[in-house]
Amino acid sequence: MFSSSTSSIPKVAQIPQHIAIIMDGNGRWAKKRLLPRIAGHKQGLESVRNIIKACSVHGVTYLTLFAFSTENWRRPADEVTFLMSLFMEALKREVNKLHQNNVRFKLIGDRSQFDPSLQQAIEEAEHLTRLNTGLVLTIAANYGGRWDILQAVNQMIHQKPSSEQGYNEHDLMPYLSTHDLPEPDLFIRTGGEQRVSNFMLWQLAYTEMYFTNTLWPDFDEKSLLEAFQFYQSRERRFGRTSEQLS
Ligand code: IPE
Ligand code: IPE
Ligand code: MG
């Protein structure tokens, strides 16, 4: 499984191919303005629009956004309800625009807990945009890294009830919800916290991690370019030595 060949070392591209973002700080953005938390979520949606566009313009191929975690159900019921309706409205309102811009929409997470009308809207958006060849936009909703690994293990064991040598990474990976995405090159978390909060635990193994104090509703194209600059300054060694790379 381990290759000593240097021919497969991925080069640090100028622009990361896959960016995964924890969009955090909506509540604090609103609080600073003496507004209700939901005003921060509404404004956060503007940043989502701007960043999708900026990623398309700058040649990012995959953008994955953490919209709602498996732990976010613990929030006050009215905030959860608001987030669900905001998602539903945004999906209905934006899907045609995404489609016109050649964006492929996908959702990862346990969608079975969503309202049936939201599940249907998600399926329709995925179906409509499935053949698009531009940016792949993945929304992680009711997603948790632990959920993802466990659902993959359960599916793998169901398909292949025993393995004499034990299972390996390549047995599991086809069942992860991200099986058709490359691993993220750049992780961004806005809002100042420096933690992963149960996002893509398996997939972030070798991702470059960028944390910024900028609150998500304030995160714009300029902020994204700053994150790219950070990314371009990294040397990605994947366990090798620096000398092996040159
Ligand atoms: C992120 O912003 C959005 C979601 C989790 C849905 P928050 O709502 O967590 O904002 P803060 O962290 O309270 O400022
Ligand atoms: C992570 O943010 C989840 C999303 C952005 C969807 P949280 O605000 O929920 O994370 P914690 O609770 O501060 O770790
Ligand atoms: Mg938060």
Side-chain angles (χ1 to χ4, degrees), residues 11 33 40 66 150 153 180 183 217-218 221 223 242:
K11 294 256 183 313
R33 288 163 179 77
F66 201 9
L150 279 172
V153 167
D180 49 358
E183 288 177 9
D218 292 326
E221 186 180 11
S223 322
S242 193

Side-chain angles (χ1 to χ4, degrees), residues 46-57:
E46 292 300 319
S47 295
V48 171
R49 284 196 193 95
N50 292 339
I51 295 307
I52 291 172
K53 191 168 163 210
C55 282
S56 290
V57 168

Side-chain angles (χ1 to χ4, degrees), residues 23-28 37 72 75 189 193 195:
M23 310 183 286
D24 196 22
N26 293 351
R28 279 163 285 161
R37 291 179 56 83
N72 287 146
R75 293 190 176 201
R189 181 172 187 147
E193 307 298 350
R195 53 179 173 251

